[in-house]
Amino acid sequence: MNHTTLLQNVRLFDPKSDLHNQLVEILIKDGVIEAIGEGLSMAASELVDGDGAYVSLGWFDAFGYCPDPGEPWKESLISYSEAAQQGGFTHVAALCGSSPKSDNESVIAQVKQVGSLQRAALMPWGLASVQGEGKEMTEVYEMHESGAVAFTDGIHSSSSLGLRTKLMQYCASLGLRYAHFPFQKTLAPDGKMHEGLANASLGFKGIPAVSEVVELMSDIALAKHLNVSLTVLGVSAAESVEIIRKAKLEGVDIVAAVPVMNLLFTDESLSDFDENLKVLPPLRSEADRKALLLGLLDGTLTAVVSNHHPEDIESKKVEFDYAAWGAATLGMTFGMMCKAFEHERPENWVPLLYSGSRVFMGMEVSGLSVGMPADLTLFQLEGEQEVNGQKWASRAYNVPRIEGVLKGKVKGTIRKGCYMENHG
Amino acid sequence: MTVNAPIKHLLGIKGLNATQIQTIFETADNFKSLINGPIKKTPALRDVTIANLFFENSTRTRVSFELAEKRLGADTINFSSSSSSVKKGETLIDTVNNILSMKVDMVVMRHPAPGACVFLSKHIDAQIINAGDGTHEHPTQALLDAYSIREQYGDVAGKKVVIVGDILHSRVALSNIYCLQLLGAEVMVCGPATLIPKHIAALGVKVSHNLEEALNWCDVANMLRIQLERQDQRYFPSLKEYSNLYGLTMDKLQRLDKEICIMHPGPINRGVEISSEVADSDQSIILQQVENGVAVRMAVLFLLGQQRL
């Protein structure tokens, strides 16, 4: 087919490369990087002027939720992928389907087939238990064969320790990835937000950090007992960061991901009863937020996930108590990270977007070099984007309202060599 | 000197300052004189229509508001969840907007969800008075409680008030804490640890799990009802054991070397959090609280209606 694209005037972002932070040209031929350097001008089918924007390996979001099949008006597989592309992601992994759920190979195969054709490749998570009810193990290997990249029951997991043990053991023996959201619901009956000063002053029942900590500690004990690695999805408490740090020092193989909302917002943000900030894991204290940032910077924590959870207006524009959980974050994950890490060198945190999430999923991470598939993200660190008033690709109503502007802007993505420019 | 714009709603005590509370009290003094005189009504809110929207059961608060509204000459309509469209799946915003389209000026709302009044204030134009939103706030109860303490002692400042019982499920406790602290009182909460929010001390209140210790410390004991209807699990073994530990009896009162004032926001569970003997004693000002409720609510309605708060 011989489709060639010449990417000009871009600044390479790869701290491991000698060309890091240098203006380069990138020649892409049939979806593969053919050359990186200067003076590559030749007759390309497509010329793209990067306007000096950074270019990195394509970003990957390791976890979000898509209610399609079932409730495509909240978010379809297509709009999920479009929202991801708008957010700078070339690949996303999501737990899909509200009815039917992703607990069987036919749903996984459907999501994989539709997802692979979209602007950002959408890869399916599979449910680890039937209907996600935490009672009976699903056919994880069959689903893996159909395209599931990892398994979890999500934040609403109620799996018993016994089932969790079997899942960790069984998945590890087959080389599959099983991730657990550490949340012991019985310690937070009717909890609506982090247990702290804010919940005491707003009258809500709290979700104490210990409801996360006890589950994390038991998962670590199980991983040690079974001698398997541990994948932790949705760390939100400072104490959890410390526990993971210590466990790693003891030699436990742990990867852990943090939802992006927990890097920017705290429980104080809920003082106005903003239902779009009603998320799980809950927004915790400023001390927790800072500990998460530090944990990501020192390598204790592995990845940031969007934890995108789209909802419609009927589910969200109601009293806080009755509002559905979740926030639609895919489009602004990068902007929120720019804000959260605004005092850090980009080399310390931008790799989380393309490397950390792949490491979290057990995928191979390579540098931006010749011979690699041309899945790339073009972004600016200094650009700005209005949040309220932005036209989001997501169908979701529950995009967090953030006053003013967020720094950072996604210029576009390249997937399989095709350039998709973001406008606005 | 900065002159603040008048507030539109009464969503909670949190939105008030001490000066505004004193204004409410002084206005309530006048209304209390009025309702104890031969002519109990004033046309101050004539031509104002007030909707009392109660999405949760209430007797005394609803009756108290309705009486206050009628004594101010307002037109009132009453709406309760048992007769509402809510059970047919209508949203709160739609329900309220339907009522407002009948030219209603003010909304008095009780709702089981914390923050429901704040939520409503973002989406409708009418003035809103919070008559209790879940376990969040019940500002007029706090105002009438503080007003009753002021009436009893002349001033709230410097008084020691203990709130006893189910703090976790109470809306009265939080509003009382904010209100009493604004007026210079010291506040303690007392009850089993399972019924006290873990971080409540950060609000500047003392915490005790020993009723006798709390009674020895205080000038005023405000006894709360156990809100069994809000409890999704057991927080103590039995009402009998709770009553033994935290129920206020004449025996416990007589062991004190001072006389304290006893309050209760009602409804009373006699024999559980308070014995009949105590509830009916001279130290109890429970019925004065009810009487003051009408005057304080008249003051709030009048001041908001006239945009003077």
Side-chain angles (χ1 to χ4, degrees), chain A residues 235-315:
Chain A
V235 173
S236 67
E239 202 176 338
S240 299
V241 181
E242 197 49 42
I243 288 166
I244 292 170
R245 192 174 281 128
K246 280 184 187 160
K248 280 188 159 185
L249 286 173
E250 289 170 13
V252 182
D253 182 13
I254 304 180
V255 287
V258 185
V260 69
M261 293 282 283
N262 295 70
L263 298 181
L264 193 57
F265 297 98
T266 67
D267 56 344
E268 293 293 327
S269 313
L270 290 165
S271 60
D272 194 30
F273 298 94
D274 184 350
E275 56 277 3
N276 285 342
L277 300 182
K278 181 179 173 183
V279 292
L280 281 175
L283 305 172
R284 297 199 184 274
S285 69
E286 179 64 9
D288 291 304
R289 190 185 76 85
K290 284 182 173 163
L292 294 175
L293 290 170
L294 191 62
L296 285 163
L297 291 169
D298 72 11
T300 303
L301 305 175
T302 319
V304 176
V305 289
S306 71
N307 201 23
H308 183 71
H309 193 122
E311 287 291 347
D312 56 15
I313 190 169
E314 288 80 10
S315 306

Side-chain angles (χ1 to χ4, degrees), chain A residues 189 195 201 203 205 272 319, chain B residues 111 122 135 169 178 233 235:
Chain A
E195 182 182 86
S201 64
K205 283 195 182 168
D272 194 30
E319 300 87 317
Chain B
H111 197 283
K122 293 178 193 171
T135 48
H169 298 98
Y178 295 145
Q233 57 179 269
Y235 288 82

Side-chain angles (χ1 to χ4, degrees), chain A residues 186 188-191 194-206 208 271-275 314 316-322 397 401, chain B residues 14 91-93 111-116 118-119 122-123 133-137 168-169 174 178 197-200 202-203 230-233 235:
Chain A
T186 60
D190 204 30
H194 170 62
E195 182 182 86
L197 175 57
N199 94 291
S201 64
L202 292 175
F204 287 113
K205 283 195 182 168
S271 60
D272 194 30
F273 298 94
D274 184 350
E275 56 277 3
E314 288 80 10
K316 273 294 189 180
K317 196 177 172 184
V318 292
E319 300 87 317
F320 189 93
D321 232 16
Y322 309 147
Y397 166 77
R401 289 181 284 268
Chain B
K14 244 185 174 177
T91 67
L92 177 63
I93 297 172
H111 197 283
V118 175
F119 169 76
K122 293 178 193 171
H123 300 291
D133 58 338
T135 48
H136 180 220
E137 284 225 42
L168 186 67
H169 298 98
L174 210 47
Y178 295 145
K198 187 168 185 285
H199 295 271
I200 201 159
L203 297 178
R230 290 185 193 280
Q231 295 182 9
D232 41 17
Q233 57 179 269
Y235 288 82

Side-chain angles (χ1 to χ4, degrees), chain A residues 81-396:
Chain A
S81 172
E82 287 172 347
Q85 191 278 328
Q86 185 182 38
F89 297 103
T90 56
H91 296 79
V92 285
L95 185 59
C96 300
S98 59
S99 178
K101 293 184 174 177
S102 287
D103 64 354
N104 61 80
E105 57 186 298
S106 65
V107 176
I108 296 292
Q110 181 195 344
V111 172
K112 184 185 171 167
Q113 187 184 12
V114 176
S116 65
L117 301 172
Q118 304 309 317
R119 290 168 72 89
L122 198 164
M123 298 183 279
W125 280 75
L127 281 171
S129 71
V130 176
Q131 292 292 302
E133 290 174 349
K135 291 174 185 163
E136 197 182 331
M137 200 189 296
T138 50
E139 293 170 333
V140 286
Y141 194 74
E142 301 287 320
M143 286 195 282
H144 166 69
E145 291 278 280
S146 298
V149 289
F151 301 90
T152 184
D153 276 343
I155 192 66
H156 298 290
S157 162
S158 55
S159 61
S160 66
L161 275 174
L163 178 62
R164 239 152 67 207
T165 310
K166 287 178 179 62
L167 279 165
M168 288 166 80
Q169 201 170 15
Y170 187 77
C171 287
S173 70
L174 295 172
L176 308 179
R177 185 151 294 253
Y178 164 65
H180 183 231
F181 254 108
F183 176 36
Q184 179 50 253
K185 284 182 194 171
T186 60
L187 293 178
D190 204 30
K192 294 290 191 294
M193 61 181 291
H194 170 62
E195 182 182 86
L197 175 57
N199 94 291
S201 64
L202 292 175
F204 287 113
K205 283 195 182 168
I207 301 173
V210 74
S211 65
E212 176 176 302
V213 167
V214 293
E215 289 289 283
L216 177 62
M217 288 174 78
S218 55
D219 283 346
I220 289 171
L222 290 174
K224 282 182 184 170
H225 170 66
L226 300 169
N227 194 24
V228 298
S229 60
L230 184 62
T231 305
V232 186
L233 196 46
V235 173
S236 67
E239 202 176 338
S240 299
V241 181
E242 197 49 42
I243 288 166
I244 292 170
R245 192 174 281 128
K246 280 184 187 160
K248 280 188 159 185
L249 286 173
E250 289 170 13
V252 182
D253 182 13
I254 304 180
V255 287
V258 185
V260 69
M261 293 282 283
N262 295 70
L263 298 181
L264 193 57
F265 297 98
T266 67
D267 56 344
E268 293 293 327
S269 313
L270 290 165
S271 60
D272 194 30
F273 298 94
D274 184 350
E275 56 277 3
N276 285 342
L277 300 182
K278 181 179 173 183
V279 292
L280 281 175
L283 305 172
R284 297 199 184 274
S285 69
E286 179 64 9
D288 291 304
R289 190 185 76 85
K290 284 182 173 163
L292 294 175
L293 290 170
L294 191 62
L296 285 163
L297 291 169
D298 72 11
T300 303
L301 305 175
T302 319
V304 176
V305 289
S306 71
N307 201 23
H308 183 71
H309 193 122
E311 287 291 347
D312 56 15
I313 190 169
E314 288 80 10
S315 306
K316 273 294 189 180
K317 196 177 172 184
V318 292
E319 300 87 317
F320 189 93
D321 232 16
Y322 309 147
W325 295 97
T329 50
L330 260 178
M332 59 165 73
T333 295
F334 174 57
M336 287 198 273
M337 286 178 72
C338 281
K339 176 87 177 153
F341 289 109
E342 63 185 340
H343 301 301
E344 293 296 327
R345 292 178 65 232
E347 285 79 2
N348 293 340
W349 63 270
V350 170
L352 290 166
L353 284 157
Y354 57 82
S355 174
S357 42
R358 286 184 171 88
V359 170
F360 176 77
M361 295 296 274
M363 296 171 175
E364 199 174 316
V365 186
S366 55
L368 204 168
S369 56
V370 172
M372 297 298 305
D375 293 325
L376 306 170
T377 300
L378 276 71
F379 62 100
Q380 297 163 336
L381 290 164
E382 296 305 319
E384 290 184 339
Q385 59 172 333
E386 289 275 350
V387 179
N388 301 337
Q390 166 77 267
K391 187 165 171 46
W392 299 107
S394 171
R395 290 181 182 177

